[in-house]
């Protein structure tokens, strides 16, 4: 039975408490090494044999104190069945992630990661290995494209952000060049962080803007526009759907290259090997020797997977892409996914809360939905597109 549209103050108090705790730490920033460039130099100097030693940022808050706050949130008092389930899921995930932050750099980190992000399923591993065995095409790809610098990409991203701000003034995102990040892109606390030495292939710029700004930032600020603040910080298990949607956005603008698909597949293989206790150097070596990845690219993938003590999150990109293609093939609509950061299992919950007028229509629609290629490619997705169909012939 549907609940009422006017919810008691307790519901909003609990939502606010959980969101406030989630906003006190940036999980990915905390588990990302700050010495990746120096670690690569040492790894190469050892002739790719000695596993790297990673250093991390100081924690902004004591995980134990935050865990106490999480477990003191009285989610058991929520009588609305739908919201009680959502709150308890999020409370449990926050507790587990805070435990992981306290275990960064120790053998205890990996078991926590397996609880939060899961392990690689046999079918996903089989798909990843199949993708990596597809011969490389001669078509221009990431490696053959001229690149732009971190500063140039920040300028492009800032322009995209301003366009969204015209539609929704509360879109307060910034594109920040970070000296404490060597390379890479990351969305944290509603801002786009760009490593100082990042280079972006020119042919991938539009795809990455769709991924980082059009998906991660748009869903963050759409979530902030709702009274339910957890849609901005993220409901339990949102990573898979969020990354799947972001990768799909790359396809919708014509920027999902073979090299990018191979990278997503390589991440899955690396997560599987790490979870099976393979040494760092063995995983790196397999990516280079068996699958033909460039040494530095293989390093980045392996570093991301072994950071913190073993992070299985990088399998969610390919898993999420498979899930969202299955969802669209089954008749699912893409629009409800823009309302905030949620898992696919929460789509019925969102529909219910919209029907009950607890949630409102999101103020922003990603720009990539109006791209000239998007409508036809969405039609193909609804018709049964698979991941293997995304590879060029």
């Amino acid at each position: 039975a549907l609940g009422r549209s006017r919810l008691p103050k307790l519901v909003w108090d609990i939502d606010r408490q959980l969101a406030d705790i989630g906003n006190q730490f940036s999980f990915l920033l905390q588990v990302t090494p700050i010495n990746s460039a120096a670690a690569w130099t040492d790894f190469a100097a050892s002739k790719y044999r000695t596993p790297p030693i990673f250093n991390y940022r100081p924690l902004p808050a004591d995980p134990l104190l935050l865990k106490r706050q999480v477990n003191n949130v009285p989610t058991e008092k929520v009588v609305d069945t739908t919201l009680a389930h959502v709150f308890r899921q999020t409370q449990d995930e926050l507790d587990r992630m805070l435990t992981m932050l306290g275990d960064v750099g120790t053998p205890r980190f990996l078991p926590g990661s397996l609880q939060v992000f899961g392990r690689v399923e046999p079918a996903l591993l089989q798909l990843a290995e199949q993708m990596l065995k597809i011969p490389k095409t001669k078509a221009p790809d990431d490696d053959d494209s001229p690149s732009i610098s971190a500063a140039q990409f920040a300028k492009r991203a800032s322009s995209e952000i301003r366009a969204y701000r015209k539609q929704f003034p509360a879109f307060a995102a910034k594109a920040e060049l970070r000296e404490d990040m060597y390379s890479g892109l990351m969305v944290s606390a509603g801002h786009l962080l760009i490593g100082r030495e990042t280079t972006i292939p020119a042919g991938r710029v539009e795809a990455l803007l769709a991924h980082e700004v059009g998906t991660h930032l748009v869903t963050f600020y759409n979530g902030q526009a709702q009274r339910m603040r957890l849609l901005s910080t993220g409901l339990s298990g949102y990573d898979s759907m969020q990354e799947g949607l972001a990768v799909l956005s790359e396809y919708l603008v014509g920027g999902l290259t073979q090299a990018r698909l191979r990278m997503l597949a390589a991440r899955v293989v690396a997560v599987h090997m790490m979870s099976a206790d393979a040494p760092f150097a063995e995983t790196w070596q397999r990516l280079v020797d068996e699958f033909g990845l460039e040494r530095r690219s293989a390093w980045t993938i392996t570093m991301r997977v072994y950071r913190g003590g073993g992070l299985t999150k990088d399998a969610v990109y390919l898993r999420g892409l498979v899930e969202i293609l299955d969802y669209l093939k089954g008749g699912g609509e893409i629009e409800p996914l823009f309302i905030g950061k949620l898992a696919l299992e929460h789509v019925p919950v969102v529909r219910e809360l919209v029907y009950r007028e607890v949630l409102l229509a999101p103020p922003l629609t990603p720009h990539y939905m109006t791209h000239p290629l998007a409508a036809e490619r969405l039609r193909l997705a609804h018709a049964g597109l698979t991941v293997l169909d995304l590879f060029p012939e």
Side-chain angles (χ1 to χ4, degrees):
L2 293 178
R4 57 188 178 179
S5 59
R6 298 186 64 182
L7 299 174
K9 181 176 180 297
L10 175 66
V11 166
W12 303 118
D13 286 344
I14 288 175
D15 170 70
R16 176 185 52 76
Q17 290 176 53
L18 292 173
D20 285 347
I21 295 169
N23 285 329
Q24 290 187 53
F25 64 94
S26 174
F27 179 82
L28 282 184
L29 200 60
Q30 293 301 140
V31 302
T32 298
I34 58 175
N35 66 325
S36 60
W40 159 251
T41 300
D42 292 342
F43 182 63
S46 75
K47 297 184 178 180
Y48 314 109
R49 295 173 183 170
T50 304
I53 297 175
F54 294 131
N55 300 325
Y56 303 93
R57 296 167 178 80
L59 293 171
D62 187 335
L64 179 59
L65 296 180
L66 291 180
K67 280 170 66 69
R68 288 176 183 170
Q69 293 180 36
V70 167
N71 291 307
N72 284 335
V73 178
T75 54
E76 72 282 357
K77 293 183 179 180
V78 178
V79 296
D80 185 291
T81 306
T82 299
L83 293 177
H85 175 66
V86 171
F87 289 156
R88 292 298 290 269
Q89 279 185 318
T90 303
Q91 183 179 39
D92 179 69
E93 183 168 282
L94 282 171
D95 179 71
R96 293 176 190 274
M97 292 179 78
L98 286 166
T99 297
M100 289 176 66
L101 287 183
D103 292 338
V104 168
T106 75
R108 298 188 300 273
F109 185 85
L110 176 57
S113 181
L114 290 169
Q115 290 179 337
V116 174
F117 301 108
R119 64 175 66 249
V120 173
E121 306 88 343
L124 187 65
L125 178 62
Q126 182 180 13
L127 172 63
E129 291 178 337
Q130 186 177 359
M131 292 167 64
L132 288 166
K133 290 175 183 177
I134 294 175
K136 294 182 181 180
T137 63
K138 295 181 181 180
D141 215 331
D142 291 3
D143 296 336
D144 305 314
S145 174
S147 297
I148 67 172
S149 68
Q152 290 171 318
F153 183 75
K155 186 176 180 180
R156 290 287 302 276
S158 296
S159 176
E160 185 76 356
I161 287 169
R162 286 193 296 272
Y164 279 110
R165 191 173 297 138
K166 287 181 180 178
Q167 299 176 37
F168 184 50
F171 196 90
K174 296 178 182 178
E176 301 178 2
L177 287 173
R178 295 287 294 239
E179 289 299 320
D180 60 347
M181 286 174 55
Y182 178 76
S183 181
L185 307 174
M186 181 188 305
V187 167
S188 177
H191 301 291
L192 175 60
L193 312 184
I194 305 167
R196 67 184 186 277
E197 298 298 325
T198 301
T199 58
I200 306 291
R204 288 274 299 153
V205 169
E206 189 171 6
L208 288 175
L209 290 176
H211 184 120
E212 304 292 351
V213 180
T215 302
H216 293 328
L217 287 178
V218 163
T219 52
F220 178 89
Y221 286 99
N222 275 345
Q224 279 204 335
Q226 301 294 334
R227 190 174 180 186
M228 180 180 288
R229 293 175 57 188
L230 282 176
L231 282 171
S232 180
T233 58
L235 301 181
S236 172
Y238 78 88
D239 294 273
S240 185
M241 197 286 294
Q242 182 76 185
E243 298 299 352
L245 180 61
V247 174
L248 179 70
S249 76
E250 300 178 33
Y251 169 68
L252 295 182
V253 300
L256 186 57
T257 63
Q258 186 187 51
R260 173 64 164 166
L261 287 165
R262 285 174 55 81
M263 178 189 293
L264 302 185
R267 289 177 179 178
V268 170
V269 171
V271 168
H272 171 72
M273 293 186 67
M274 180 274 295
S275 302
D277 296 325
F280 185 102
E282 180 181 331
T283 298
W284 177 87
Q285 198 74 52
R286 186 183 182 198
L287 296 182
V288 173
D289 291 348
E290 183 175 344
F291 301 123
L293 271 71
E294 188 270 332
R295 289 177 175 178
R296 190 61 184 265
S297 297
W299 157 266
T300 300
I301 291 170
T302 311
M303 178 273 292
R304 285 172 59 105
V305 169
Y306 280 77
R307 58 181 161 167
L311 185 63
T312 60
K313 179 184 181 296
D314 268 8
V316 306
Y317 293 82
L318 184 56
R319 181 190 296 128
L321 181 58
V322 172
E323 288 177 353
I324 197 166
L325 288 176
D326 286 344
Y327 166 77
L328 294 172
K329 178 182 177 181
E333 299 175 339
I334 195 171
E335 288 76 14
L337 307 182
F338 301 140
I339 200 167
K341 298 186 181 298
L342 61 149
L344 280 178
E345 67 173 291
H346 297 130
V347 173
V349 175
V350 166
R351 287 200 185 102
E352 175 187 326
L353 294 177
V354 170
Y355 181 82
R356 290 163 55 183
E357 299 181 347
V358 174
L359 299 179
L360 306 174
L364 291 169
T365 299
H367 293 166
Y368 56 76
M369 290 297 289
T370 59
H371 190 278
L373 296 175
E376 173 60 15
R377 294 194 168 199
L378 268 179
R379 186 194 66 78
L380 292 174
H382 283 295
L385 193 73
T386 71
V387 172
L388 294 177
D389 293 329
L390 302 176
F391 279 82
E393 297 181 359

